[in-house]
Amino acid sequence: MVRDGYDLIVVGGGHAGIEAAAAGARMGCTTLLVSLPGGVGQLSCNPAVGGVGKGQLVKEIDALGGLMGELADAACIQFRRLNTTRGAAVQSSRMQVDLDVYPAAASARLKNLSGLDLLEDEMVDLQIRGDRVAGIRLAQGGELSAKCVVITPGTFFHGLIHIGSEHFPGGRLGDPAAEQLPQRLQALGLNFGRFKTGTTPRLDGATIDFLRLAEQKGDAEYLPFSVRSPRTPVLPQRSCFAGHTNLKTHQIIRENLGKSALYSGQITGTGVRYCPSVEDKIVKFPERDSHHVFVEPEGLNTPRWYPNGLSNSLPLDVQLEMVHSVSGLENARIVQTGYGIEHDYLDPTQLKPTLETKHIAGLFFAGQINGTTGYEEAAAQGLVAGVNAACQVLSRPPFILDRSQAYIGVLIDDLVTKGTNEPYRMFTSRVEYRLVIREDNADERLTPLGHALGLVSEVDYGQYTQRVAARHQEYERLKNHRVTGTAAVNQQLQAWELSPIQGSSTLLEVLRRPEVDYVRLAQLDPDTQQIPTEVRQSVDVRVKYEGYIKRQMAEVERFKDLESIRIPATFQYEGLPGINNEIVEKLTRIRPLNLGQASRVSGVTPAAIMLLMMHLKKKSNRG
């Protein structure tokens, strides 16, 4: 039953909206989630969660008490760890998920949350009183008042779908675009740009020759995203398959570039550099004879498969010819056409680090509207926006994660400080302190914060303290237990081409050797076999990278020194000696919260930061 008068209204039922609404309700705010019919938790692109840099986001969302990790675990049909041959800092988890189970699990979870109402409708306008949001107006349901509003429209703002020369409004295929609301927001003084993304054709699995593709099975060892999920998969697991484009594929695309909405000039928005369309790949990498095509299942009870790598905006007949040129897909039937989509995005430098707009109090934006791409980036923003909206309602301090605490902190700081001129995607390479903020220690970094917010229950927090204690206990065991260099032990080391143990060594010293992992350690010490996998993973990283981690922690402390120098919200940059007008304009527009954020504003020089620091210290001493 919808009431008039909510603490928090969340608009949009995608991944950002789910997290924002759940956070608001669980923190004790009366919350309404407004979404289009059937729009909760949809996987509009590839039904996969996680990936390089993105898996860390999902782990952090879970550590804070968010939902994405649990939903992915409930729908997982394949799990893989990526970058396992590289260092721990860049290893990430990825799940292929069932596109029907995931949204069903999301809807069920939201319906069971106390204090959360769900409404299928479209928001068409905001209620504004003075410089503050006061509620929303719906297409069908009249007006509803609220203390805070979080808008998470995904690709729906002025969404325009392109298939060859054909184009028509749509937020995604089959759903209408939002036209009134973005116009209203522009009239309120918010600035928008235009981005482009796209998706692949979906194929009928019964028409794919999988024997001509390379099978890719999931990992034998399953590691769920969420600490609250079962340690074994809920659903049956499925294989993915790998194929390649070829010279014939490339020739078909080149001959039809004029029919592509992207290359005919029909699309003007900036596309995703790190996940380009197949037309982009052929044009920008002409020396390549082939590109990967990963054929991935969309679910257990659907015939649809997703040919990852064939995103395009070509006409349907050209898409069919292109698909049929790939080995194994010669007879594949397209059950849904691929398409490109242009949409509005909000310049994120108009937002505070809380994701509240600087110009309209109580109005928050989260997700793809802020210039990002990907479910995980959207969910992370939704969680932060929902938490901060609830904090504002409850008169609690804002919740801001810095770059040394979380990938989420890097994501939001990049957006609100630097902005973006292309769809933003999270990568490990964006994260300066990635050795300190890894997947395996997300709970140690963030679960106490989630508990303090009220998002992590007492039961879950108790289990967290047990996990931390188990890791500490194992580290102490390794440090205090010694293995003697007996003939049998040294014979095993010799078989591994390792130097023998002279006298005895602690297990910690043995595990510190790069060539020794927990599997090998267990062959030298039988008690090691009893250590749970997740404890092994965390302790192994700590032991092997301890020196590097200590050095990076020293860097973090220096970083925090700058972050600790606050800049008053009313600080006047005009007239400061030694700082030019361009820097003054940028700092005035961004309004950084502290000296650290100011140092990351594009074009602000180290010399300007030093001058600003001296001025702030003088002002502090006078105050």
Side-chain angles (χ1 to χ4, degrees):
M1 184 66 154
V2 175
R3 71 187 86 184
D4 182 22
Y6 284 91
D7 291 329
L8 171 61
I9 293 178
V10 177
V11 181
H15 304 280
I18 288 170
E19 299 294 348
R26 294 169 69 195
M27 288 176 68
C29 294
T30 56
T31 304
L32 174 68
L33 175 60
V34 180
S35 67
L36 294 175
V40 174
Q42 293 298 310
L43 300 158
S44 305
C45 201
N46 189 7
V49 174
V52 176
K54 294 169 175 280
Q56 283 86 341
L57 288 173
V58 182
K59 287 282 192 179
E60 291 177 354
I61 291 167
D62 184 70
L64 286 166
L67 302 185
M68 176 169 259
E70 293 179 76
L71 300 177
D73 294 339
C76 177
I77 55 176
Q78 188 191 83
F79 168 79
R80 293 178 66 197
R81 286 280 291 167
L82 307 180
N83 284 343
T84 54
T85 60
R86 301 177 63 190
V90 297
Q91 294 180 16
S92 307
S93 298
R94 181 188 188 272
M95 286 183 178
Q96 194 74 16
V97 299
D98 190 301
L99 86 166
D100 295 319
V101 174
Y102 189 99
S107 294
R109 186 63 184 272
L110 294 176
K111 287 175 182 176
N112 288 329
L113 280 179
S114 176
L116 176 63
D117 293 334
L118 306 176
L119 176 66
E120 291 187 344
D121 204 334
E122 180 188 358
M123 173 187 170
V124 294
D125 201 356
L126 280 172
Q127 297 180 51
I128 304 290
R129 292 200 186 103
D131 61 354
R132 182 169 191 88
V133 72
I136 67 171
R137 184 162 67 84
L138 299 165
Q140 302 174 32
E143 295 185 348
L144 295 172
S145 62
K147 296 174 183 175
C148 288
V149 174
V150 180
I151 298 179
T152 69
T155 58
F156 278 70
F157 274 16
H158 287 144
L160 190 63
I161 291 173
H162 297 268
I163 305 171
S165 60
E166 184 183 3
H167 59 274
F168 50 89
R172 59 175 163 247
L173 199 62
D175 287 316
E179 305 290 352
Q180 289 180 258
L181 185 55
Q183 292 174 0
R184 168 67 164 143
L185 292 168
Q186 286 176 318
L188 289 170
L190 293 173
N191 297 320
F192 290 84
R194 199 83 171 140
F195 278 164
K196 171 261 175 187
T197 187
T199 188
T200 72
R202 305 321 199 264
L203 308 180
D204 181 352
T207 62
I208 296 173
D209 185 356
F210 291 103
L211 294 177
R212 302 192 67 183
L213 300 169
E215 184 176 13
Q216 290 186 322
K217 294 184 177 181
D219 290 355
E221 185 176 37
Y222 173 79
L223 297 172
F225 273 122
S226 177
V227 295
R228 296 175 289 278
S229 294
R231 303 294 96 180
T232 55
V234 177
L235 299 179
Q237 300 295 282
R238 294 289 183 264
S239 292
C240 296
F241 294 83
H244 295 86
T245 61
N246 51 56
L247 292 176
K248 181 180 178 182
T249 314
H250 299 187
Q251 185 62 29
I252 291 167
I253 294 168
R254 287 193 187 98
E255 289 175 354
N256 290 280
L257 280 175
K259 299 178 182 178
S260 164
L262 183 63
Y263 281 91
S264 67
Q266 187 170 298
I267 292 178
T268 58
T270 305
V272 186
R273 178 164 40 128
Y274 301 105
C275 188
S277 68
V278 70
E279 303 105 304
D280 256 346
K281 292 178 188 176
I282 302 311
V283 170
K284 294 179 178 177
F285 306 102
E287 73 283 359
R288 293 283 299 274
D289 292 337
S290 68
H291 296 277
H292 285 295
V293 178
F294 298 102
V295 183
E296 299 168 326
E298 291 204 330
L300 299 176
N301 298 308
T302 175
R304 293 168 34 129
W305 286 68
Y306 188 98
N308 194 349
L310 294 182
S311 171
N312 73 94
S313 57
L314 292 160
L316 180 56
D317 60 331
V318 179
Q319 290 189 39
L320 193 60
E321 187 180 1
M322 174 188 70
V323 166
H324 286 172
S325 71
V326 176
S327 180
L329 307 182
E330 292 89 348
N331 299 305
R333 185 172 70 90
I334 293 178
V335 295
Q336 178 183 302
T337 181
Y339 61 90
I341 181 169
E342 284 185 285
H343 62 91
D344 288 353
Y345 77 96
L346 180 80
D347 177 358
T349 62
Q350 299 169 98
L351 303 174
K352 301 175 183 178
T354 58
L355 298 182
E356 181 185 23
T357 61
K358 295 173 181 176
H359 307 300
I360 304 172
L363 179 62
F364 297 75
F365 284 85
Q368 207 158 350
I369 185 65
N370 291 342
T372 60
T373 178
Y375 310 140
E376 304 82 2
E377 290 89 342
Q381 293 175 69
L383 179 62
V384 170
V387 165
N388 278 298
C391 285
Q392 191 173 115
V393 169
L394 300 171
S395 299
R396 294 171 63 175
F399 175 71
I400 298 172
L401 294 167
D402 69 40
R403 302 180 72 89
S404 70
Q405 288 177 290
Y407 273 63
I408 296 174
V410 174
L411 164 68
I412 293 176
D413 184 63
D414 279 350
L415 291 173
V416 304
T417 303
K418 304 173 185 177
T420 183
N421 57 10
E422 63 183 0
Y424 181 103
R425 179 178 178 178
M426 177 51 69
F427 286 106
T428 55
S429 58
R430 297 187 188 272
V431 183
E432 303 94 321
Y433 310 114
R434 54 187 173 271
L435 195 52
V436 174
I437 52 176
R438 310 176 306 273
E439 268 198 11
D440 65 273
N441 69 353
D443 59 348
E444 293 185 37
R445 293 182 279 117
L446 301 175
T447 295
L449 301 178
H451 180 248
L453 289 167
L455 297 178
V456 175
S457 71
E458 292 298 333
V459 171
D460 290 337
Y461 189 70
Q463 293 175 347
Y464 154 76
T465 58
Q466 291 175 13
R467 289 195 303 275
V468 173
R471 293 167 194 164
H472 177 72
Q473 183 178 350
E474 170 59 6
Y475 184 85
E476 291 299 311
R477 184 185 76 89
L478 295 176
K479 190 167 67 172
N480 295 317
H481 189 83
R482 305 190 74 84
V483 59
T484 304
T486 63
V489 165
N490 284 334
Q491 186 176 4
Q492 181 63 78
L493 291 172
Q494 186 178 11
W496 295 333
E497 299 182 350
L498 300 177
S499 58
I501 294 174
Q502 303 296 332
S504 67
S505 293
T506 66
L507 293 177
L508 192 72
E509 292 167 338
V510 176
L511 186 60
R512 191 167 282 142
R513 299 187 186 196
E515 304 86 354
V516 177
D517 56 14
Y518 258 92
V519 174
R520 285 184 166 181
L521 191 66
Q523 296 180 48
L524 303 178
D525 174 67
D527 291 343
T528 298
Q529 298 174 13
Q530 310 304 317
I531 307 303
T533 298
E534 291 175 356
V535 174
R536 293 183 180 197
Q537 180 186 21
S538 182
V539 173
D540 190 33
V541 173
R542 177 181 173 185
V543 169
K544 284 192 167 59
Y545 294 92
E546 204 155 20
Y548 298 103
I549 291 171
K550 284 179 180 177
R551 284 198 290 274
Q552 197 157 94
M553 287 303 298
E555 294 174 16
V556 167
E557 290 306 311
R558 289 192 292 272
F559 161 81
K560 286 187 178 294
D561 286 343
L562 276 183
E563 300 291 303
S564 68
I565 303 175
R566 309 292 293 177
I567 302 176
T570 57
F571 186 82
Q572 296 297 313
Y573 295 95
E574 294 85 353
L576 288 180
I579 300 181
N580 65 40
N581 290 336
E582 181 184 357
I583 292 176
V584 166
E585 186 276 327
K586 287 183 176 181
L587 292 173
T588 301
R589 179 169 56 87
I590 299 297
R591 284 282 162 203
L593 297 182
N594 54 59
L595 208 56
Q597 187 184 2
S599 72
R600 296 187 292 276
V601 174
S602 177
V604 175
T605 63
I609 294 298
M610 290 301 296
L611 289 168
L612 186 55
M613 179 190 295
M614 292 168 58
H615 186 83
L616 288 168
K617 285 184 175 179
K618 282 182 183 178
K619 189 172 182 179
S620 175
N621 291 335
R622 287 198 304 267

